[in-house]
Amino acid sequence: QVQLKESGPGLVQPSQTLSLTCTVSGFSLTSNSVHWVRQPPGKGLEWVGAIWSGGSTDYNSALKSRLSISRDTSKSQVFLKMNSLQTEDTAIYFCTRMRLYYFDYWGQGVMVTVSS
Amino acid sequence: DTVLTQSPALAVSPGERVTISCRASESVSTLMHWYQQKPGQQPKLLIYKASNLASGVPARFSGSGSGTDFTFTIDPVEADDIATYYCHQSWNSPYTFGAGTKLELK
């Protein structure tokens, strides 16, 4: 069955770089896009960016200068790298599969805290 | 960016009908989707493309609308439906979500 699982450090120091991995199973990255969505504590959902089935990427314009999304199709993994982290980047980070135009499967999320 | 404005928090009793609205700042055609999120869990897709019920979702949930005005309905509400509901548009980039509507028990 379709599954997505995020992994990465729970704590990142301010100004440092965040690296997250989304490991997927049950579908191919060359047939589906994978997106990152984040949720600050107690707040709503924010679309972060995506890597499409062909390998191209799209980023939230507010984060674009700090963000990079890539993948390793042989390992069924999608990577998020965000630099110059600030406390406002503290959030749960979800990866999710987009089917046609909507997010049908989500990972459980990984909490990232930016603090010294 | 396309701003999605949702109903504020709503208090409901089991057995009632509840409707949540979502208004877009510009047309999103029918590419509006609805998710349910319970505390400590990931969002769950309920309705896609405005009015289509996701697989395994009870028929108590429904959606309608097009363009800029959309509604999401639960009829009847069950105690297990207490959660936050988000609308999400994928017509315009960047994709955006509403702020969420928290359903609470009366």
Short mmCIF file of all heavy atoms in Angstrom, two decimals, chain A residues 35 37 39 43-47 50 52 58-61 94 98 100-104 106-109, chain B residues 1 31 33 35 37 40-45 47-49 86 88-90 93-99:
data_model
loop_
_atom_site.label_atom_id
_atom_site.label_comp_id
_atom_site.label_asym_id
_atom_site.label_seq_id
_atom_site.Cartn_x
_atom_site.Cartn_y
_atom_site.Cartn_z
N HIS A 35 5.03 16.37 -2.45
CA HIS A 35 5.04 17.74 -1.96
C HIS A 35 5.41 17.76 -0.49
O HIS A 35 5.19 16.78 0.23
CB HIS A 35 3.66 18.38 -2.15
CG HIS A 35 3.24 18.48 -3.58
ND1 HIS A 35 2.92 19.67 -4.19
CD2 HIS A 35 3.08 17.52 -4.53
CE1 HIS A 35 2.57 19.45 -5.45
NE2 HIS A 35 2.66 18.14 -5.67
N VAL A 37 4.56 19.97 2.98
CA VAL A 37 3.62 20.90 3.61
C VAL A 37 4.05 21.01 5.07
O VAL A 37 4.39 20.00 5.69
CB VAL A 37 2.17 20.37 3.52
CG1 VAL A 37 1.21 21.25 4.32
CG2 VAL A 37 1.72 20.27 2.07
N GLN A 39 3.41 22.80 9.15
CA GLN A 39 2.39 23.29 10.06
C GLN A 39 3.03 23.76 11.35
O GLN A 39 3.43 22.93 12.19
CB GLN A 39 1.36 22.19 10.35
CG GLN A 39 0.19 22.62 11.19
CD GLN A 39 -0.87 21.56 11.27
OE1 GLN A 39 -0.59 20.36 11.33
NE2 GLN A 39 -2.13 21.98 11.25
N LYS A 43 -1.03 26.06 14.44
CA LYS A 43 -1.44 26.88 13.30
C LYS A 43 -1.85 26.01 12.11
O LYS A 43 -1.96 24.79 12.22
CB LYS A 43 -0.31 27.82 12.92
CG LYS A 43 0.03 28.83 14.02
CD LYS A 43 0.99 29.90 13.54
CE LYS A 43 1.22 30.92 14.64
NZ LYS A 43 2.15 32.00 14.20
N GLY A 44 -2.10 26.67 10.98
CA GLY A 44 -2.60 25.98 9.80
C GLY A 44 -1.50 25.43 8.91
O GLY A 44 -0.31 25.46 9.25
N LEU A 45 -1.92 24.94 7.75
CA LEU A 45 -1.04 24.25 6.81
C LEU A 45 -0.48 25.23 5.79
O LEU A 45 -1.18 26.11 5.30
CB LEU A 45 -1.82 23.15 6.09
CG LEU A 45 -2.45 22.09 7.00
CD1 LEU A 45 -3.48 21.28 6.23
CD2 LEU A 45 -1.38 21.17 7.58
N GLU A 46 0.79 25.05 5.45
CA GLU A 46 1.46 25.89 4.46
C GLU A 46 2.17 25.00 3.44
O GLU A 46 3.00 24.15 3.82
CB GLU A 46 2.47 26.82 5.11
CG GLU A 46 3.22 27.70 4.12
CD GLU A 46 4.29 28.57 4.75
OE1 GLU A 46 4.88 28.14 5.77
OE2 GLU A 46 4.55 29.67 4.23
N TRP A 47 1.86 25.17 2.17
CA TRP A 47 2.54 24.44 1.11
C TRP A 47 3.97 24.96 0.98
O TRP A 47 4.18 26.17 0.87
CB TRP A 47 1.79 24.60 -0.20
CG TRP A 47 2.40 23.90 -1.37
CD1 TRP A 47 2.35 22.55 -1.63
CD2 TRP A 47 3.13 24.49 -2.44
NE1 TRP A 47 3.03 22.27 -2.80
CE2 TRP A 47 3.51 23.44 -3.32
CE3 TRP A 47 3.51 25.78 -2.76
CZ2 TRP A 47 4.24 23.66 -4.49
CZ3 TRP A 47 4.23 26.02 -3.91
CH2 TRP A 47 4.59 24.96 -4.77
N ALA A 50 7.41 21.27 -4.12
CA ALA A 50 7.11 19.98 -4.75
C ALA A 50 8.21 19.55 -5.70
O ALA A 50 8.95 20.38 -6.23
CB ALA A 50 5.80 20.08 -5.52
N TRP A 52 8.05 17.18 -9.11
CA TRP A 52 7.10 16.56 -10.01
C TRP A 52 7.64 15.24 -10.55
O TRP A 52 8.82 14.94 -10.41
CB TRP A 52 6.75 17.51 -11.14
CG TRP A 52 6.15 18.79 -10.61
CD1 TRP A 52 6.79 19.96 -10.36
CD2 TRP A 52 4.79 18.98 -10.20
NE1 TRP A 52 5.93 20.89 -9.83
CE2 TRP A 52 4.68 20.31 -9.73
CE3 TRP A 52 3.64 18.18 -10.19
CZ2 TRP A 52 3.49 20.85 -9.26
CZ3 TRP A 52 2.45 18.71 -9.72
CH2 TRP A 52 2.38 20.03 -9.26
N ASP A 58 8.95 22.96 -7.85
CA ASP A 58 8.22 24.20 -7.62
C ASP A 58 8.36 24.54 -6.15
O ASP A 58 8.29 23.62 -5.31
CB ASP A 58 6.73 24.06 -7.95
CG ASP A 58 6.40 24.54 -9.34
OD1 ASP A 58 7.07 25.48 -9.82
OD2 ASP A 58 5.47 23.98 -9.94
N TYR A 59 8.52 25.82 -5.85
CA TYR A 59 8.70 26.22 -4.48
C TYR A 59 7.75 27.36 -4.13
O TYR A 59 7.42 28.20 -4.97
CB TYR A 59 10.14 26.70 -4.25
CG TYR A 59 11.20 25.68 -4.58
CD1 TYR A 59 12.25 25.98 -5.44
CD2 TYR A 59 11.15 24.40 -4.03
CE1 TYR A 59 13.23 25.05 -5.74
CE2 TYR A 59 12.13 23.46 -4.32
CZ TYR A 59 13.17 23.79 -5.18
OH TYR A 59 14.13 22.85 -5.47
N ASN A 60 7.35 27.40 -2.86
CA ASN A 60 6.64 28.55 -2.34
C ASN A 60 7.56 29.76 -2.48
O ASN A 60 8.70 29.73 -2.04
CB ASN A 60 6.28 28.30 -0.87
CG ASN A 60 5.39 29.38 -0.29
OD1 ASN A 60 5.58 30.57 -0.55
ND2 ASN A 60 4.42 28.97 0.50
N SER A 61 7.03 30.81 -3.10
CA SER A 61 7.88 31.96 -3.40
C SER A 61 8.48 32.58 -2.13
O SER A 61 9.57 33.16 -2.17
CB SER A 61 7.09 33.01 -4.17
OG SER A 61 5.93 33.38 -3.48
N PHE A 94 5.36 17.74 6.77
CA PHE A 94 4.73 16.56 6.18
C PHE A 94 5.19 16.42 4.73
O PHE A 94 5.32 17.42 4.02
CB PHE A 94 3.21 16.70 6.14
CG PHE A 94 2.52 16.82 7.46
CD1 PHE A 94 2.14 18.06 7.96
CD2 PHE A 94 2.20 15.69 8.20
CE1 PHE A 94 1.47 18.17 9.17
CE2 PHE A 94 1.54 15.79 9.41
CZ PHE A 94 1.18 17.04 9.89
N MET A 98 0.74 13.84 -4.38
CA MET A 98 -0.34 14.48 -5.11
C MET A 98 -0.83 13.52 -6.19
O MET A 98 -0.05 13.03 -7.02
CB MET A 98 0.09 15.80 -5.73
CG MET A 98 -1.00 16.43 -6.59
SD MET A 98 -0.73 18.15 -7.01
CE MET A 98 -1.64 18.98 -5.69
N LEU A 100 -3.34 13.52 -9.26
CA LEU A 100 -4.04 14.48 -10.12
C LEU A 100 -3.89 15.88 -9.51
O LEU A 100 -2.87 16.50 -9.69
CB LEU A 100 -5.50 14.09 -10.32
CG LEU A 100 -5.70 12.76 -11.05
CD1 LEU A 100 -7.16 12.39 -11.13
CD2 LEU A 100 -5.07 12.81 -12.44
N TYR A 101 -4.86 16.32 -8.73
CA TYR A 101 -4.76 17.69 -8.21
C TYR A 101 -4.89 17.80 -6.70
O TYR A 101 -4.96 18.90 -6.17
CB TYR A 101 -5.86 18.55 -8.85
CG TYR A 101 -5.77 18.58 -10.35
CD1 TYR A 101 -6.63 17.81 -11.13
CD2 TYR A 101 -4.83 19.36 -10.99
CE1 TYR A 101 -6.55 17.82 -12.52
CE2 TYR A 101 -4.75 19.40 -12.37
CZ TYR A 101 -5.60 18.63 -13.13
OH TYR A 101 -5.52 18.64 -14.49
N TYR A 102 -4.89 16.67 -5.98
CA TYR A 102 -5.12 16.72 -4.55
C TYR A 102 -4.16 15.78 -3.84
O TYR A 102 -3.57 14.89 -4.44
CB TYR A 102 -6.57 16.33 -4.24
CG TYR A 102 -7.02 15.06 -4.93
CD1 TYR A 102 -6.86 13.81 -4.35
CD2 TYR A 102 -7.60 15.11 -6.20
CE1 TYR A 102 -7.24 12.65 -4.99
CE2 TYR A 102 -7.99 13.94 -6.87
CZ TYR A 102 -7.80 12.72 -6.25
OH TYR A 102 -8.18 11.58 -6.91
N PHE A 103 -4.00 16.01 -2.54
CA PHE A 103 -3.07 15.21 -1.74
C PHE A 103 -3.82 14.02 -1.15
O PHE A 103 -4.65 14.19 -0.25
CB PHE A 103 -2.48 16.07 -0.62
CG PHE A 103 -1.73 17.27 -1.13
CD1 PHE A 103 -1.96 18.53 -0.60
CD2 PHE A 103 -0.78 17.15 -2.14
CE1 PHE A 103 -1.26 19.64 -1.06
CE2 PHE A 103 -0.08 18.25 -2.61
CZ PHE A 103 -0.32 19.50 -2.07
N ASP A 104 -3.54 12.83 -1.65
CA ASP A 104 -4.32 11.67 -1.21
C ASP A 104 -3.66 10.86 -0.09
O ASP A 104 -4.36 10.20 0.67
CB ASP A 104 -4.69 10.78 -2.40
CG ASP A 104 -3.48 10.17 -3.12
OD1 ASP A 104 -2.34 10.63 -2.88
OD2 ASP A 104 -3.69 9.23 -3.90
N TRP A 106 -0.57 11.05 3.05
CA TRP A 106 0.33 11.90 3.81
C TRP A 106 1.21 11.05 4.71
O TRP A 106 0.78 10.00 5.22
CB TRP A 106 -0.48 12.84 4.70
CG TRP A 106 -1.35 13.84 4.00
CD1 TRP A 106 -2.47 13.58 3.26
CD2 TRP A 106 -1.18 15.25 4.00
NE1 TRP A 106 -3.00 14.75 2.80
CE2 TRP A 106 -2.24 15.80 3.24
CE3 TRP A 106 -0.25 16.13 4.58
CZ2 TRP A 106 -2.39 17.17 3.03
CZ3 TRP A 106 -0.39 17.50 4.38
CH2 TRP A 106 -1.45 18.00 3.62
N GLY A 107 2.41 11.53 4.96
CA GLY A 107 3.23 10.93 6.00
C GLY A 107 2.72 11.39 7.36
O GLY A 107 1.85 12.25 7.46
N GLN A 108 3.28 10.81 8.40
CA GLN A 108 2.85 11.15 9.76
C GLN A 108 3.43 12.48 10.22
O GLN A 108 2.96 13.07 11.21
CB GLN A 108 3.28 10.05 10.74
CG GLN A 108 4.78 9.87 10.84
CD GLN A 108 5.17 8.59 11.56
OE1 GLN A 108 4.36 7.67 11.70
NE2 GLN A 108 6.41 8.51 12.02
N GLY A 109 4.44 12.98 9.50
CA GLY A 109 5.04 14.26 9.84
C GLY A 109 6.23 14.13 10.77
O GLY A 109 6.33 13.15 11.53
N ASP B 1 -0.88 35.50 -4.17
CA ASP B 1 -1.30 34.16 -3.77
C ASP B 1 -2.82 34.13 -3.58
O ASP B 1 -3.42 35.13 -3.20
CB ASP B 1 -0.64 33.74 -2.46
CG ASP B 1 0.87 33.64 -2.58
OD1 ASP B 1 1.41 33.94 -3.68
OD2 ASP B 1 1.52 33.28 -1.59
N LEU B 31 -11.01 23.08 -8.49
CA LEU B 31 -9.87 22.45 -7.83
C LEU B 31 -9.76 22.88 -6.37
O LEU B 31 -8.76 23.46 -5.93
CB LEU B 31 -8.59 22.72 -8.61
CG LEU B 31 -8.56 22.07 -9.98
CD1 LEU B 31 -7.18 22.20 -10.61
CD2 LEU B 31 -8.97 20.60 -9.93
N HIS B 33 -10.33 21.24 -2.47
CA HIS B 33 -10.36 19.95 -1.79
C HIS B 33 -10.47 20.19 -0.29
O HIS B 33 -10.10 21.26 0.20
CB HIS B 33 -9.08 19.17 -2.13
CG HIS B 33 -8.58 19.41 -3.52
ND1 HIS B 33 -9.26 18.95 -4.62
CD2 HIS B 33 -7.53 20.11 -3.99
CE1 HIS B 33 -8.62 19.34 -5.73
NE2 HIS B 33 -7.57 20.06 -5.36
N TYR B 35 -9.90 18.59 3.74
CA TYR B 35 -9.18 17.63 4.57
C TYR B 35 -9.66 17.75 6.01
O TYR B 35 -10.02 18.84 6.47
CB TYR B 35 -7.67 17.90 4.53
CG TYR B 35 -7.07 17.87 3.15
CD1 TYR B 35 -7.12 18.98 2.33
CD2 TYR B 35 -6.49 16.71 2.64
CE1 TYR B 35 -6.60 18.96 1.05
CE2 TYR B 35 -5.96 16.68 1.36
CZ TYR B 35 -6.02 17.81 0.57
OH TYR B 35 -5.50 17.78 -0.71
N GLN B 37 -8.34 17.09 9.96
CA GLN B 37 -7.15 16.85 10.76
C GLN B 37 -7.53 16.78 12.24
O GLN B 37 -8.10 17.72 12.78
CB GLN B 37 -6.07 17.91 10.54
CG GLN B 37 -4.75 17.56 11.22
CD GLN B 37 -3.66 18.61 11.02
OE1 GLN B 37 -3.94 19.80 10.94
NE2 GLN B 37 -2.40 18.17 10.95
N GLY B 40 -2.59 15.78 16.59
CA GLY B 40 -1.50 14.81 16.55
C GLY B 40 -1.49 13.91 15.33
O GLY B 40 -0.68 12.99 15.27
N GLN B 41 -2.38 14.19 14.37
CA GLN B 41 -2.45 13.35 13.18
C GLN B 41 -2.18 14.17 11.91
O GLN B 41 -2.25 15.39 11.92
CB GLN B 41 -3.82 12.69 13.07
CG GLN B 41 -4.13 11.72 14.19
CD GLN B 41 -5.44 10.99 13.97
OE1 GLN B 41 -6.00 10.97 12.86
NE2 GLN B 41 -5.95 10.38 15.02
N GLN B 42 -1.90 13.46 10.83
CA GLN B 42 -1.76 14.13 9.55
C GLN B 42 -3.14 14.43 8.97
O GLN B 42 -4.13 13.79 9.35
CB GLN B 42 -0.95 13.26 8.57
CG GLN B 42 -1.62 11.94 8.16
CD GLN B 42 -1.25 10.80 9.05
OE1 GLN B 42 -1.48 10.85 10.26
NE2 GLN B 42 -0.69 9.76 8.46
N PRO B 43 -3.22 15.37 8.05
CA PRO B 43 -4.51 15.62 7.38
C PRO B 43 -4.97 14.39 6.61
O PRO B 43 -4.17 13.58 6.14
CB PRO B 43 -4.19 16.77 6.43
CG PRO B 43 -2.99 17.44 7.02
CD PRO B 43 -2.20 16.33 7.63
N LYS B 44 -6.29 14.28 6.48
CA LYS B 44 -6.91 13.17 5.75
C LYS B 44 -7.83 13.74 4.68
O LYS B 44 -8.68 14.60 4.98
CB LYS B 44 -7.72 12.29 6.70
CG LYS B 44 -8.51 11.18 6.02
CD LYS B 44 -9.40 10.47 7.03
CE LYS B 44 -10.30 9.45 6.35
NZ LYS B 44 -11.23 8.81 7.30
N LEU B 45 -7.66 13.28 3.46
CA LEU B 45 -8.49 13.76 2.37
C LEU B 45 -9.92 13.27 2.53
O LEU B 45 -10.16 12.07 2.72
CB LEU B 45 -7.92 13.26 1.04
CG LEU B 45 -8.73 13.61 -0.22
CD1 LEU B 45 -8.66 15.11 -0.53
CD2 LEU B 45 -8.23 12.78 -1.41
N ILE B 47 -12.80 15.22 0.58
CA ILE B 47 -13.47 15.63 -0.66
C ILE B 47 -12.42 16.16 -1.63
O ILE B 47 -11.56 16.95 -1.22
CB ILE B 47 -14.50 16.75 -0.40
CG1 ILE B 47 -15.60 16.30 0.56
CG2 ILE B 47 -15.11 17.25 -1.72
CD1 ILE B 47 -16.56 15.26 0.00
N TYR B 48 -12.47 15.72 -2.88
CA TYR B 48 -11.56 16.26 -3.88
C TYR B 48 -12.34 16.84 -5.06
O TYR B 48 -13.47 16.42 -5.33
CB TYR B 48 -10.55 15.20 -4.35
CG TYR B 48 -11.14 14.01 -5.07
CD1 TYR B 48 -11.24 13.98 -6.45
CD2 TYR B 48 -11.61 12.90 -4.36
CE1 TYR B 48 -11.79 12.90 -7.11
CE2 TYR B 48 -12.16 11.81 -5.01
CZ TYR B 48 -12.24 11.81 -6.38
OH TYR B 48 -12.78 10.74 -7.04
N LYS B 49 -11.73 17.81 -5.70
CA LYS B 49 -12.34 18.51 -6.82
C LYS B 49 -13.76 18.93 -6.49
O LYS B 49 -14.72 18.59 -7.20
CB LYS B 49 -12.26 17.66 -8.09
CG LYS B 49 -10.83 17.53 -8.59
CD LYS B 49 -10.73 17.12 -10.05
CE LYS B 49 -11.10 15.71 -10.27
NZ LYS B 49 -10.95 15.30 -11.70
N TYR B 86 -9.84 21.74 6.73
CA TYR B 86 -9.12 22.68 5.88
C TYR B 86 -9.58 22.55 4.43
O TYR B 86 -9.72 21.43 3.91
CB TYR B 86 -7.61 22.41 5.90
CG TYR B 86 -6.94 22.67 7.22
CD1 TYR B 86 -6.76 21.65 8.15
CD2 TYR B 86 -6.47 23.95 7.54
CE1 TYR B 86 -6.13 21.89 9.36
CE2 TYR B 86 -5.84 24.20 8.75
CZ TYR B 86 -5.68 23.17 9.65
OH TYR B 86 -5.06 23.41 10.86
N HIS B 88 -8.39 23.52 0.48
CA HIS B 88 -7.10 23.60 -0.20
C HIS B 88 -7.35 23.76 -1.68
O HIS B 88 -8.15 23.02 -2.25
CB HIS B 88 -6.30 22.32 0.08
CG HIS B 88 -5.25 21.99 -0.93
ND1 HIS B 88 -5.18 20.75 -1.56
CD2 HIS B 88 -4.22 22.72 -1.43
CE1 HIS B 88 -4.15 20.76 -2.41
NE2 HIS B 88 -3.56 21.93 -2.34
N GLN B 89 -6.69 24.74 -2.32
CA GLN B 89 -6.85 24.93 -3.76
C GLN B 89 -5.57 24.56 -4.49
O GLN B 89 -4.46 24.85 -4.03
CB GLN B 89 -7.28 26.36 -4.09
CG GLN B 89 -6.27 27.45 -3.83
CD GLN B 89 -5.24 27.61 -4.94
OE1 GLN B 89 -5.45 27.20 -6.08
NE2 GLN B 89 -4.09 28.20 -4.61
N SER B 90 -5.75 23.91 -5.65
CA SER B 90 -4.59 23.53 -6.46
C SER B 90 -4.74 24.03 -7.90
O SER B 90 -4.19 23.46 -8.83
CB SER B 90 -4.40 22.01 -6.43
OG SER B 90 -5.56 21.36 -6.91
N SER B 93 -0.83 28.52 -8.51
CA SER B 93 0.40 28.35 -7.77
C SER B 93 0.79 29.67 -7.12
O SER B 93 0.70 30.72 -7.77
CB SER B 93 1.52 27.88 -8.70
OG SER B 93 2.71 27.66 -7.98
N PRO B 94 1.22 29.67 -5.84
CA PRO B 94 1.41 28.49 -5.00
C PRO B 94 0.10 27.92 -4.49
O PRO B 94 -0.87 28.66 -4.32
CB PRO B 94 2.25 29.03 -3.84
CG PRO B 94 1.81 30.44 -3.72
CD PRO B 94 1.56 30.92 -5.13
N TYR B 95 0.05 26.61 -4.28
CA TYR B 95 -1.11 26.01 -3.66
C TYR B 95 -1.29 26.61 -2.28
O TYR B 95 -0.32 26.92 -1.59
CB TYR B 95 -0.91 24.50 -3.54
CG TYR B 95 -0.68 23.80 -4.86
CD1 TYR B 95 0.08 22.64 -4.92
CD2 TYR B 95 -1.21 24.29 -6.04
CE1 TYR B 95 0.30 22.00 -6.13
CE2 TYR B 95 -0.99 23.65 -7.26
CZ TYR B 95 -0.24 22.50 -7.28
OH TYR B 95 -0.02 21.86 -8.47
N THR B 96 -2.52 26.79 -1.87
CA THR B 96 -2.79 27.39 -0.57
C THR B 96 -3.88 26.65 0.16
O THR B 96 -4.69 25.92 -0.45
CB THR B 96 -3.20 28.87 -0.73
OG1 THR B 96 -4.22 28.99 -1.73
CG2 THR B 96 -2.02 29.74 -1.12
N PHE B 97 -3.90 26.84 1.47
CA PHE B 97 -4.89 26.25 2.36
C PHE B 97 -5.64 27.35 3.08
O PHE B 97 -5.10 28.45 3.31
CB PHE B 97 -4.19 25.38 3.42
CG PHE B 97 -3.53 24.13 2.89
CD1 PHE B 97 -2.21 24.18 2.43
CD2 PHE B 97 -4.20 22.92 2.87
CE1 PHE B 97 -1.58 23.04 1.94
CE2 PHE B 97 -3.57 21.77 2.40
CZ PHE B 97 -2.27 21.84 1.93
N GLY B 98 -6.87 27.04 3.45
CA GLY B 98 -7.56 27.93 4.37
C GLY B 98 -6.97 27.81 5.76
O GLY B 98 -6.18 26.90 6.04
N ALA B 99 -7.38 28.71 6.63
CA ALA B 99 -6.84 28.74 8.00
C ALA B 99 -7.38 27.62 8.88
O ALA B 99 -6.88 27.40 9.98
CB ALA B 99 -7.13 30.10 8.63
#
